[in-house]
Amino acid sequence: MRRQIRNIAGKEKMRVVGLMSGTSADGVDAAVVEIDRGKVRLLAFETFAYPASLQREILGLSRPESARLDDICHYNFVLGEVFADAVVKLCSKSGISLGSIDLIGSHGQTIYHQPCGKRYGGRPVRSTLQIGEPSVIAHRTGVTTVADFRPRDMAAGGQGAPLVPFADYILFKHKRLTRAIQNIGGIANVTFLPGGCTQDDIIAFDTGPGNMVIDGIIRIISGGRRHCDSGGKMAARGIVYKRLLDEMLRHPFFRRRPPKSTGREEFGADFTERIYRRAGKRGLADADIVATVTALTAKSIAQAYRRFLPVMPDELILCGGGAHNHTLIEMLHAELPEVKMLSTDDFGISVDAKEAVSFAILAWATIKGITNNVPAATGAKKPVILGKIVPA
């Protein structure tokens, strides 16, 4: 077993699959990358959508009032099968031999995350839970798998998030330009890379909801028939209701100083349903509600930059599903007119693939024995090597 891991770690050029399923729980993003002496090249990418019934089950597992222990146990292994199947299908579809894959890095599916912790024995104990059993992935694919990246950072006193700043540093650091890499997934998070930075100079944190509240409102409005505002078309027809927007921006998370992370626990179904009820009492049209929660994402990102970044970036590099929401991006442009906006597509990595690529990079670092958390971002007391290795 040790020899197998040493053999993988000793390779200068490595082919790694990264797997990611985010807070929207809409499917598995799978990316094959080649990493050669720290240089990363995307070879193939695909998103494998969950069936609607599986998405509903996962979202139910994320709510303490509806989650059952037997279902958590069951779907941990179900998602292991689903993730493994995604690897096999991606390799087949792209003409890449499964036998050529050296390593898999799987984020898993977060169903609960407590970055601030609950008290036990007189002190706070942070915790997190991702499902998508890596033993199943390794067994089904025959490829050594690295998973469960968050817990080690939490054991070192961190919040276990954000995890991608190490990958952002590898991919986007610049000798002169200061860059902000803004992911807009279910939750939005930023990595700030000053020009000529080292890992110690990185600032990273969750800015608040990305697509999560927008998607939740769309589900309510459509009676579950739709799950997102494709292209931001509905928001484009609406008018932002400033009073409701200001109410949402008073959420204490937005004032909390980094390091900080968030998730469904703060901006999930309970938050969304409460906002929808408030909007209903004010007689807002559906399009106006969608426009207002879209503005929440744009405004909270811009406010976070002004509150918590030392300077405005020269370039803002967008990624994640929210990069396809034209209305959201227009609102963000209006909030940050002085910043040049790009996307990871401009650097050869699809906005949809970026998170999966990041977990391939994290797995590569883990197998190489390279510390891959960023304590300045997570609050950990020291750099550590993230993840658990499951040999094939």
Side-chain angles (χ1 to χ4, degrees):
M1 186 184 299
R2 289 180 180 176
R3 182 181 300 170
Q4 178 188 3
I5 293 172
R6 282 200 301 268
N7 287 343
I8 300 170
K11 294 186 175 186
E12 288 187 349
K13 184 186 291 187
M14 199 181 298
R15 193 168 279 185
V16 189
V17 174
L19 298 172
M20 173 67 188
S21 182
T23 47
S24 297
D26 51 4
V28 184
D29 294 334
V32 181
V33 301
E34 187 174 84
I35 306 177
D36 187 0
R37 299 177 182 86
K39 300 294 183 182
V40 181
R41 184 163 67 98
L42 178 62
L43 303 181
F45 171 74
E46 190 78 27
T47 296
F48 298 92
Y50 291 146
S53 58
L54 179 57
Q55 184 184 37
R56 283 195 301 271
E57 293 290 349
I58 293 169
L59 295 178
L61 297 180
S62 302
R63 301 186 72 171
E65 64 272 20
S66 62
R68 290 170 48 109
L69 286 175
D70 56 342
D71 287 337
I72 292 171
C73 183
H74 174 63
Y75 284 103
N76 179 39
F77 277 73
V78 167
L79 286 180
E81 300 282 358
V82 171
F83 281 30
D85 194 44
V87 177
V88 174
K89 285 180 177 176
L90 177 61
C91 287
S92 175
K93 193 170 183 178
S94 60
I96 295 172
S97 167
L98 182 60
S100 73
I101 304 298
D102 299 298
L103 191 66
I104 294 170
S106 175
H107 171 268
Q109 177 71 59
T110 299
I111 61 169
Y112 211 72
H113 185 65
Q114 291 186 311
C116 298
K118 293 173 68 174
R119 298 194 73 80
Y120 179 82
R123 64 187 180 91
V125 177
R126 297 178 173 91
S127 60
T128 189
L129 184 59
Q130 286 73 44
I131 60 174
E133 181 52 53
S135 296
V136 174
I137 301 171
H139 188 75
R140 295 283 181 262
T141 62
V143 180
T144 294
T145 299
V146 185
D148 275 347
F149 291 93
R150 297 189 189 278
R152 182 66 196 279
D153 182 81
M154 287 185 150
Q159 294 197 8
L163 291 180
V164 297
F166 175 83
D168 289 339
Y169 175 78
I170 295 291
L171 291 169
F172 299 112
K173 64 181 182 293
H174 192 279
K175 290 181 180 179
R176 180 178 54 83
L177 294 174
T178 292
R179 288 172 165 167
I181 296 81
Q182 181 67 52
N183 176 60
I184 308 177
I187 293 297
N189 47 69
V190 63
T191 300
F192 179 80
L193 303 173
C197 68
T198 67
Q199 280 184 240
D200 293 336
D201 300 318
I202 298 171
I203 299 171
F205 54 92
D206 288 352
T207 57
N211 306 313
M212 182 179 289
V213 179
I214 303 168
D215 293 351
I217 290 292
I218 290 292
R219 286 192 194 97
I220 294 171
I221 289 170
S222 69
R225 292 185 301 276
R226 291 192 294 131
H227 301 283
C228 69
D229 182 19
S230 180
K233 293 174 184 174
M234 192 169 187
R237 299 197 303 268
I239 297 170
V240 174
Y241 189 73
K242 187 175 183 302
R243 188 174 298 176
L244 181 60
L245 175 61
D246 290 343
E247 282 181 24
M248 291 188 288
L249 286 167
R250 286 198 286 272
H251 191 292
F253 176 82
F254 299 122
R255 296 190 300 275
R256 200 180 306 157
R257 299 196 64 82
K260 61 177 182 174
S261 59
T262 189
R264 291 195 173 279
E265 299 73 32
E266 290 188 280
F267 294 107
D270 291 343
F271 178 86
T272 303
E273 289 163 6
R274 189 164 62 249
I275 295 305
Y276 185 75
R277 287 195 299 270
R278 289 180 186 173
K281 288 178 181 177
R282 291 177 168 88
L284 269 66
D286 288 346
D288 296 342
I289 303 173
V290 177
T292 303
V293 295
T294 302
L296 171 66
T297 295
K299 191 86 172 179
S300 60
I301 290 171
Q303 283 189 353
Y305 282 27
R306 294 199 167 92
R307 283 175 173 167
F308 305 125
L309 298 184
V311 295
M312 279 290 146
D314 299 307
E315 296 178 344
L316 190 162
I317 303 170
L318 291 161
C319 59
H324 297 297
N325 185 322
H326 305 302
T327 304
L328 171 57
I329 302 311
E330 286 174 8
M331 288 178 174
L332 193 55
H333 268 294
E335 292 289 340
L336 298 170
E338 70 272 38
V339 179
K340 180 180 180 181
M341 290 195 188
L342 303 165
S343 78
T344 57
D345 288 283
D346 297 308
F347 298 84
I349 298 173
S350 158
V351 294
D352 299 312
K354 162 62 175 49
E355 295 288 280
V357 169
S358 295
F359 284 94
I361 294 169
L362 287 169
W364 165 82
T366 298
I367 209 78
K368 289 279 189 183
I370 299 168
T371 57
N372 49 357
N373 69 331
V374 177
T378 66
K381 293 181 174 62
K382 65 175 186 177
V384 292
I385 298 170
L386 305 175
K388 301 168 187 174
I389 301 171
V390 180

